[in-house]
Amino acid sequence: LLEKLILNKDVSLTTQGKDRKGVWIALVLTADNKDPRVELLRQGLAWTAERNPDQELEAYRKFAMEKGKGLWKQDNPVPPWMFRRNQSMMTAKSS
């Protein structure tokens, strides 16, 4: 879906700073001023932020959850941050 929304299309990026790992964060908008995050959330193909989610975006996530779309077809989908935490706890620590 993301490919359909933005591949080979003009987009604008507005940088919003860096995350704690130093990776740039940017808002992406299509030429017709649409935010691809909205459609991904509406289809149940994305999560909102773990901490302090944008309330406008959260409404789209809740819509998908109520409709049982995408990842919300599962009984207990695992958020990516929980999956990563679980993976790191299973990795042997070096001394």
Side-chain angles (χ1 to χ4, degrees):
L1 179 63
L2 183 58
E3 182 178 346
K4 180 181 172 186
L5 294 171
I6 65 172
L7 184 65
N8 297 322
K9 296 186 180 173
D10 290 333
V11 297
S12 65
L13 299 174
T14 305
T15 58
Q16 298 181 322
K18 294 183 179 183
D19 68 10
R20 60 187 173 84
K21 293 183 178 183
V23 176
W24 283 101
I25 299 171
L27 176 62
V28 177
L29 295 176
T30 60
D32 57 355
N33 220 28
K34 291 187 179 172
D35 184 343
R37 298 176 301 173
V38 169
E39 192 58 30
L40 291 171
L41 286 163
R42 283 178 47 81
Q43 296 301 321
L45 301 175
W47 294 83
T48 50
E50 176 183 16
R51 295 185 183 99
N52 304 317
D54 179 310
Q55 290 307 303
E56 181 180 339
L57 294 175
E58 185 68 5
Y60 295 110
R61 184 197 62 79
K62 287 179 181 176
F63 168 83
M65 188 170 82
E66 290 166 3
K67 299 291 184 186
K69 292 182 158 208
L71 61 95
W72 303 109
K73 290 178 184 175
Q74 300 173 34
D75 288 333
N76 293 307
V78 177
W81 53 87
M82 291 300 296
F83 178 82
R84 287 190 298 269
R85 286 179 195 146
N86 290 340
Q87 292 299 305
S88 68
M89 289 189 329
M90 293 187 330
T91 304
K93 305 295 182 208
S94 61
S95 39

